[in-house]
Amino acid sequence: MEYILETHNLGKRYKDFKALSNFDMHIPKGSIYGLVGKNGAGKTTCIRLICGLQKPTTGTYSIYGTSNTNPQIVNVRKRMGAIIETPSIYLDMTAEDNLIEQYKIIGLPTKETKELLELVGLADTGNKKAKNFSLGMRQRLGIAISLVGNPDFLILDEPINGLDPEGIIEIRELILKLNKEHGITFLISSHYLDELSKIATNYGFVEKGKIIKEVSAEELERNCKKRIEVKVTDIKECVKYLEANKVPYEVIENNVINIYQNINISEFTITLANKNCKVTEFHEKEESLENYYINLIGGGDNV
Ligand code: ATP
């Protein structure tokens, strides 16, 4: 697996308070990585470190394989764009002038402003100043600004905070377009797990300054899907039965298997019993994303 960003035992301490510790995160190339955690979990701190705005107290991270201890990291960072907390835009300027300004700031000749505005759906804003934009438009302008210089990795800190439903849909579609059509990898921090689940391909769950679990969207979906969990005395016989009946399943432990389809329980039990395989436990399970998350963080509050 090729990772755009990896952190290794990353830690950040503010006086006596550990905001991050042993923080290990792996962002696959081409993914939309959702960094999920409640307020104060450490998401913004992690992003500030990666963007070079603060120095880690312990540990390291690498971006495109270059360690933060390598002086080249400054150049590598040019391949990434970020919006931390709120987008940095000049409110008294038009969308296009904001982009022209950004080209000046990063020392590149101005080009592609029209294309960028088109891409984020702001091509028709003309002379309208950013102060008259909706929050959603400002967020999209922020994304256009972060795309100046053609980065292939974008970091968005809580991008849908405060947006109305229409604004949320526009940001979601923009992220998907940039990911699918332009190959941009995303790190998106959020505490809106439901919204994130509409776009994320990978997740890192943060709690008290640590990544407590990383999962792919498929893995998460499997965990939350309706299923029957059975425990049997002979897993081979059970697998044979499921294969023969074309029933989707997954062996999760030595003698425990998840079945992802309704089955005729008595027929299943009797057939296996005839093969000397006993069904010792049988549970129907279904978990919501929210429950999965709450269980993960140990029944936390304020999710
Ligand atoms: P939120 O969604 O509320 O922004 P977060 O997950 O982004 O939450 P952080 O902003 O990273 O959380 O903060 C993590 C912890 O570190 C919090 O308890 C916060 O109060 C603390 N913290 C952050 N910055 C500082 C600082 N400069 N000095 C002291 N403590 C800080």
Coordinates of all heavy atoms in Angstrom, one line a residue, residues 14 17 19 37-46 48 54 85 157-158 191, ligand 1:
Y14 N 1.2 20.4 25.2 CA 1.1 21.8 25.6 C 1.3 21.9 27.1 O 0.4 21.5 27.8 CB -0.3 22.4 25.2 CG -0.6 22.4 23.7 CD1 -1.6 21.5 23.2 CD2 0.0 23.2 22.8 CE1 -1.9 21.5 21.9 CE2 -0.3 23.2 21.5 CZ -1.3 22.3 21.0 OH -1.6 22.3 19.7
F17 N -0.2 19.2 29.3 CA -1.3 18.5 28.6 C -0.9 17.9 27.3 O -0.3 18.5 26.4 CB -2.4 19.5 28.3 CG -3.6 18.9 27.6 CD1 -4.4 18.0 28.3 CD2 -3.9 19.2 26.3 CE1 -5.5 17.5 27.7 CE2 -4.9 18.6 25.7 CZ -5.8 17.7 26.4
A19 N -1.8 16.7 24.0 CA -2.9 16.8 23.0 C -2.9 15.6 22.1 O -3.9 15.2 21.6 CB -2.8 18.1 22.3
G37 N -13.4 12.3 15.2 CA -13.2 12.4 16.7 C -14.1 13.5 17.2 O -14.4 14.5 16.5
K38 N -14.4 13.4 18.5 CA -15.3 14.5 19.1 C -14.4 15.7 19.3 O -13.2 15.7 19.1 CB -16.0 14.0 20.3 CG -15.1 13.4 21.4 CD -16.0 12.8 22.5 CE -15.1 12.2 23.5 NZ -15.9 11.5 24.5
N39 N -15.1 16.8 19.8 CA -14.4 18.0 20.0 C -13.3 17.8 21.0 O -13.4 17.1 22.0 CB -15.3 19.1 20.6 CG -16.3 19.6 19.6 OD1 -16.0 19.5 18.4 ND2 -17.5 20.0 20.0
G40 N -12.1 18.3 20.7 CA -11.0 18.2 21.6 C -10.2 16.9 21.5 O -9.2 16.7 22.2
A41 N -10.5 16.1 20.6 CA -9.9 14.8 20.5 C -8.4 14.9 20.0 O -7.6 14.1 20.2 CB -10.6 13.8 19.5
G42 N -8.2 16.0 19.2 CA -6.8 16.2 18.7 C -6.7 16.3 17.2 O -5.5 16.3 16.7
K43 N -7.8 16.4 16.5 CA -7.7 16.4 15.0 C -7.0 17.6 14.5 O -6.1 17.5 13.7 CB -9.2 16.4 14.5 CG -10.0 15.2 15.0 CD -11.4 15.3 14.5 CE -12.3 16.5 14.9 NZ -12.6 16.6 16.3
T44 N -7.3 18.8 15.0 CA -6.7 20.0 14.5 C -5.2 20.0 14.8 O -4.4 20.5 14.0 CB -7.4 21.3 15.0 OG1 -8.8 21.1 14.7 CG2 -6.9 22.5 14.4
T45 N -4.9 19.6 16.0 CA -3.5 19.5 16.4 C -2.7 18.7 15.5 O -1.6 19.1 15.0 CB -3.4 18.9 17.9 OG1 -4.1 19.7 18.7 CG2 -1.9 18.9 18.3
C46 N -3.2 17.5 15.1 CA -2.6 16.6 14.2 C -2.3 17.4 12.8 O -1.2 17.4 12.3 CB -3.4 15.4 14.0 SG -3.2 14.6 12.4
R48 N -2.3 20.6 12.3 CA -1.3 21.7 12.4 C 0.1 21.2 12.3 O 1.0 21.8 11.7 CB -1.5 22.4 13.7 CG -2.7 23.4 13.7 CD -2.5 24.5 14.7 NE -3.7 25.0 15.1 CZ -4.4 24.7 16.2 NH1 -3.8 23.9 17.1 NH2 -5.5 25.2 16.5
Q54 N 3.1 23.8 13.6 CA 3.6 23.5 14.9 C 4.6 22.3 14.8 O 4.5 21.5 13.9 CB 2.5 23.2 15.9 CG 1.7 24.4 16.2 CD 0.5 24.0 17.2 OE1 0.1 22.8 17.2 NE2 0.0 25.0 17.9
E85 N -9.5 25.1 10.1 CA -10.6 25.8 10.7 C -11.4 26.6 9.7 O -12.3 26.1 9.2 CB -10.1 26.6 11.9 CG -9.9 25.7 13.2 CD -8.9 26.1 14.2 OE1 -8.2 27.2 14.0 OE2 -8.6 25.3 15.1
D157 N -10.1 20.8 7.4 CA -10.4 20.6 8.8 C -11.9 21.0 9.0 O -12.2 22.2 8.7 CB -9.5 21.6 9.6 CG -9.6 21.4 11.1 OD1 -10.1 20.4 11.5 OD2 -9.1 22.3 11.8
E158 N -12.7 20.1 9.3 CA -14.2 20.4 9.5 C -14.8 21.2 8.4 O -15.3 22.3 8.7 CB -14.3 21.1 10.9 CG -13.8 20.4 12.1 CD -14.7 19.4 12.7 OE1 -15.8 19.1 12.1 OE2 -14.3 18.8 13.7
H191 N -16.5 15.7 12.9 CA -17.2 14.9 13.9 C -18.5 14.5 13.4 O -19.3 13.9 14.1 CB -17.2 15.6 15.3 CG -17.7 17.0 15.3 ND1 -16.9 18.0 15.2 CD2 -19.0 17.4 15.4 CE1 -17.6 19.1 15.3 NE2 -18.9 18.8 15.4
Ligands
ATP1 P1 -12.3 20.5 17.7 O1 -13.2 19.8 16.8 O2 -13.0 21.1 18.9 O3 -11.4 21.5 17.1 P2 -10.0 18.8 17.8 O4 -10.2 17.3 17.8 O5 -9.6 19.5 16.6 O6 -11.3 19.4 18.4 P3 -7.7 20.0 19.0 O7 -8.1 21.4 18.6 O8 -6.6 19.4 18.3 O9 -9.0 19.1 19.0 O10 -7.3 20.1 20.5 C1 -6.9 18.9 21.3 C2 -6.7 19.3 22.7 O11 -5.6 20.2 22.8 C3 -7.9 20.1 23.3 O12 -8.1 19.7 24.6 C4 -7.4 21.5 23.3 O13 -8.0 22.3 24.3 C5 -5.9 21.4 23.4 N1 -5.1 22.4 22.8 C6 -5.1 22.7 21.5 N2 -4.3 23.8 21.2 C7 -3.8 24.2 22.4 C8 -2.9 25.2 22.8 N3 -2.3 26.0 21.9 N4 -2.6 25.3 24.1 C9 -3.1 24.4 25.0 N5 -4.0 23.4 24.7 C10 -4.3 23.3 23.4

